[in-house]
């Protein structure tokens, strides 16, 4: 096969032809299939094509909603984009459970983001540190054009530090910046500033009289924001008297449930194998809303996992307690998202998601998303510590099998009742239906 040279410049149809002819045994069928997912409106399709490169078609994921989310007394219908069954159902169940118990409460702990210019300085570190105040002024003044608009919105550069990293590598330093980016995620804003800082730093040492002999000794390694944003943090929690938790299937009374729940969370704090699955459940909810609102789920994921390991061990992101008869379930979660710019305003469905949520600003959206993560975690743990999750999954699986085997309404009703206490499998359902149908004949 010839290498695909100049591929990116080919038209979409030519790209598609090249791919199907080189990688598929049935090119015509594959072409038809991929084209069947093109949007009927050329204008809309163009929007999608421009999000990325070398696009051949659109990859669909379900767009669903979880109603009944009460966050700080306000009711939301939350959009979720996810391919895994039971996630939206679980989020909805978690939301509904807490709806009658005060809903989710949240607090913004911080909104600070950061970025670094990583550089090597072969000169005298002490002289560089002594000149830093002067440099800092130039870094601020020299990026005024970039920051002016953000300052008008209440954001901008919050702090600039010179970090000595020579313990890690001789001659390695960082310009470490803190930023407030208001309603935008801020990646472009921060990266533009950092690249400008890198230039200013180079000029500063090249022209400063103190560095006459060693002024050319600065070498920029890279300038980039950090997706680790522990300073951009939301706390979300639910709480109620243990007695108000109610009764649980297969579980005993509320006190027993609450104790088991707290222990399950503690296990996820101490045991890495459990912690990863526990947090995966939280991200089921978080990623789904992040995606639905056109935000960067890779950034949110990598930050959340790093935060979960902040003391050196990967732990559960959530915590639970019972104190003086009050059950409390909470989570501090670092999340940098935006409600202006980026895909949020470009993707037609992300735009609708924002409308559905009542056009929240970034802080409000952060609080909604973290609450959905907590609801998701609550629902998963509630199932795990009572009925087990297969119970719910198998209910859905049973319905799919019944549809596949063309069960009547009456047969479906009988099957649901029977499989409440019996193991669901395709064979078992087929045999159950065969038996039922036999009985009907005689
Ligand atoms: C499945 O996607 C998520 C769960 O495994 C989460 C958990 O175990 O807490 C149910």
């Amino acid at each position: 096969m010839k290498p695909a040279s100049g591929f990116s410049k080919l038209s979409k149809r030519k790209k598609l032809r090249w791919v199907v002819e080189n990688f598929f045994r049935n090119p015509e069928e594959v072409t038809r299939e991929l084209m069947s997912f093109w949007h009927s409106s050329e204008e809309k399709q163009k929007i999608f094509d421009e999000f990325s490169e070398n696009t051949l078609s659109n990859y669909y994921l379900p767009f669903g909603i979880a109603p009944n989310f009460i966050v700080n007394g306000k009711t939301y219908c939350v959009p979720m984009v996810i391919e895994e069954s039971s996630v939206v159902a679980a989020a909805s169940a978690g939301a509904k459970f807490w709806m009658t118990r005060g809903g989710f409460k949240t607090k913004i702990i911080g909104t600070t983001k950061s970025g670094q210019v990583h550089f090597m300085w072969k000169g005298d570190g002490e002289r560089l540190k002594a000149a830093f105040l002067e440099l800092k002024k130039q870094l601020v003044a020299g990026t005024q054009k970039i920051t002016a608009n953000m300052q008008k919105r209440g954001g901008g550069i919050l702090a600039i530090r010179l970090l000595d990293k020579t313990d890690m590598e001789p001659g390695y330093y960082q310009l470490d910046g803190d930023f407030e980016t208001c309603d935008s995620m801020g990646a472009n804003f921060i990266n533009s500033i950092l690249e400008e800082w890198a230039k200013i730093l180079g000029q500063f040492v090249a022209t400063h009289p103190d560095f006459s002999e060693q002024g050319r000794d600065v070498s920029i390694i890279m300038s980039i924001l950090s997706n680790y944003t522990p300073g951009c943090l939301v706390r979300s929690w639910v709480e109620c008297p243990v007695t108000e938790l109610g009764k649980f299937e297969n579980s005993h009374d509320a006190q027993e449930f609450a104790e088991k729940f707290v222990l399950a969370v503690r296990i996820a704090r101490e045991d890495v194998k459990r912690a990863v699955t526990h947090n995966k459940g939280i991200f089921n909810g978080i990623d789904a809303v992040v995606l639905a609102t056109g935000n960067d789920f890779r950034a949110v994921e990598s930050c959340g996992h790093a935060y979960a390991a902040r003391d050196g061990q990967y732990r559960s992101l959530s915590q639970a307690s019972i104190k003086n008869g009050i059950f409390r379930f909470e989570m501090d979660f670092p999340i940098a998202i935006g409600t202006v710019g980026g895909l949020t305003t470009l993707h037609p469905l992300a735009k609708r998601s924002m409308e559905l949520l009542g056009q929240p600003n970034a802080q409000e959206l952060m609080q909604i998303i973290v609450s959905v993560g907590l609801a998701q975690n609550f629902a998963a743990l509630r199932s795990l510590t009572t009925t087990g999750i297969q119970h719910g999954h198998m209910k859905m699986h049973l319905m799919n099998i019944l549809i596949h085997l063309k069960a009547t309404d009456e047969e479906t009703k009988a099957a649901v009742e029977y499989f409440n206490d019996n193991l669901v499998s395709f064979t078992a359902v087929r045999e159950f239906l065969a038996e039922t149908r036999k009985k009907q004949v005689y």
Side-chain angles (χ1 to χ4, degrees), residues 214-227:
Q214 34 181 215
R216 279 132 208 99
D217 287 351
V218 68
S219 147
I220 305 296
I221 310 297
M222 59 191 156
S223 310
I224 185 76
L225 92 167
S226 172
N227 285 120

Side-chain angles (χ1 to χ4, degrees), residues 84 87 274 277-278 280-282 284 377 380-381 384 389 393:
E84 186 178 332
V87 168
R274 176 58 202 147
T277 320
H278 178 101
K280 188 270 183 188
I282 294 172
N284 275 346
N377 194 207
L381 288 173
L384 287 168
I389 55 157
H393 284 185

Side-chain angles (χ1 to χ4, degrees), residues 119 121 124-142 162 175 195-220:
F119 68 97
W121 166 249
D124 181 346
E126 291 314 308
R127 274 159 85 183
L128 187 62
K129 285 176 201 169
F132 180 61
L133 266 184
E134 208 181 321
L135 169 63
K136 199 164 142 179
K137 279 189 200 138
Q138 293 193 18
L139 295 173
V140 173
L162 173 67
L175 285 179
E195 290 193 0
E196 202 53 40
W197 281 358
K199 281 186 215 151
I200 296 169
L201 170 68
Q203 279 157 14
F204 180 81
V205 289
T207 54
H208 197 284
D210 280 6
F211 305 119
S212 50
E213 325 91 56
Q214 34 181 215
R216 279 132 208 99
D217 287 351
V218 68
S219 147
I220 305 296

Side-chain angles (χ1 to χ4, degrees), residues 7 9 63 86 93-94 159 184 190 214 233 289 366-367:
F7 184 76
K9 295 198 180 61
F63 174 91
S86 302
S184 60
I190 296 174
Q214 34 181 215
L233 195 68
V289 191
M366 285 160 73
Q367 297 173 85

Side-chain angles (χ1 to χ4, degrees), residues 67-336:
N68 301 326
F69 258 99
I70 298 193
V71 182
N72 299 329
K74 190 168 165 187
T75 307
Y76 297 93
C77 184
V78 180
M80 298 179 82
V81 171
I82 183 130
E83 86 298 348
E84 186 178 332
S85 69
S86 302
V87 168
V88 175
S92 308
K96 195 167 169 206
F97 182 91
W98 286 103
M99 192 183 183
T100 51
R101 293 167 177 85
F104 292 79
K105 309 266 170 33
T106 63
K107 184 175 159 198
I108 296 280
I109 297 173
T111 55
T112 302
K113 292 156 193 170
S114 90
Q116 292 74 33
V117 177
H118 304 260
F119 68 97
M120 302 301 287
W121 166 249
K122 293 285 159 57
D124 181 346
E126 291 314 308
R127 274 159 85 183
L128 187 62
K129 285 176 201 169
F132 180 61
L133 266 184
E134 208 181 321
L135 169 63
K136 199 164 142 179
K137 279 189 200 138
Q138 293 193 18
L139 295 173
V140 173
T143 45
Q144 191 60 41
K145 270 199 190 130
I146 309 173
T147 56
N149 242 335
M150 191 62 87
Q151 275 169 335
K152 275 190 213 144
R153 284 151 53 195
I157 301 165
L158 302 179
I160 315 174
R161 292 171 287 266
L162 173 67
L163 302 184
D164 183 335
K165 296 278 177 182
T166 51
D167 275 358
M168 191 208 107
E169 174 75 29
Y172 169 40
Y173 294 83
Q174 286 179 8
L175 285 179
D176 178 43
D178 285 349
F179 305 90
E180 170 58 58
T181 64
C182 304
D183 285 334
S184 60
M185 194 262 191
N188 282 332
F189 174 73
I190 296 174
N191 288 335
S192 302
I193 291 176
L194 295 172
E195 290 193 0
E196 202 53 40
W197 281 358
K199 281 186 215 151
I200 296 169
L201 170 68
Q203 279 157 14
F204 180 81
V205 289
T207 54
H208 197 284
D210 280 6
F211 305 119
S212 50
E213 325 91 56
Q214 34 181 215
R216 279 132 208 99
D217 287 351
V218 68
S219 147
I220 305 296
I221 310 297
M222 59 191 156
S223 310
I224 185 76
L225 92 167
S226 172
N227 285 120
Y228 186 50
T229 55
C232 192
L233 195 68
V234 178
R235 175 167 302 155
S236 175
W237 71 94
V238 284
E239 60 186 358
C240 73
V242 171
T243 47
E244 282 177 21
L245 284 170
K247 284 213 176 317
F248 298 90
E249 268 181 77
N250 289 8
S251 169
H252 334 280
D253 60 13
Q255 181 68 29
E256 216 164 339
F257 163 75
E259 283 170 15
K260 224 169 152 186
F261 191 102
V262 169
L263 183 57
V265 178
R266 198 149 67 78
I267 291 169
R269 286 199 71 74
E270 301 303 329
D271 181 80
V272 161
K273 286 185 184 162
R274 176 58 202 147
V276 172
T277 320
H278 178 101
N279 289 347
K280 188 270 183 188
I282 294 172
F283 280 101
N284 275 346
I286 294 213
D287 284 356
V289 191
V290 170
L291 256 176
T293 55
N295 274 288
D296 181 344
F297 61 92
R298 286 87 55 211
V300 173
E301 282 263 355
S302 57
C303 178
H305 293 301
Y307 191 72
R310 66 193 178 281
D311 72 1
Q313 189 190 318
Y314 188 90
R315 297 180 188 281
S316 141
L317 283 158
S318 57
Q319 309 213 45
S321 63
I322 305 169
K323 272 189 203 124
N324 303 324
I326 303 291
F327 170 82
R328 182 176 166 103
F329 185 42
E330 69 186 307
M331 173 160 76
D332 282 0
F333 192 93
I335 183 164

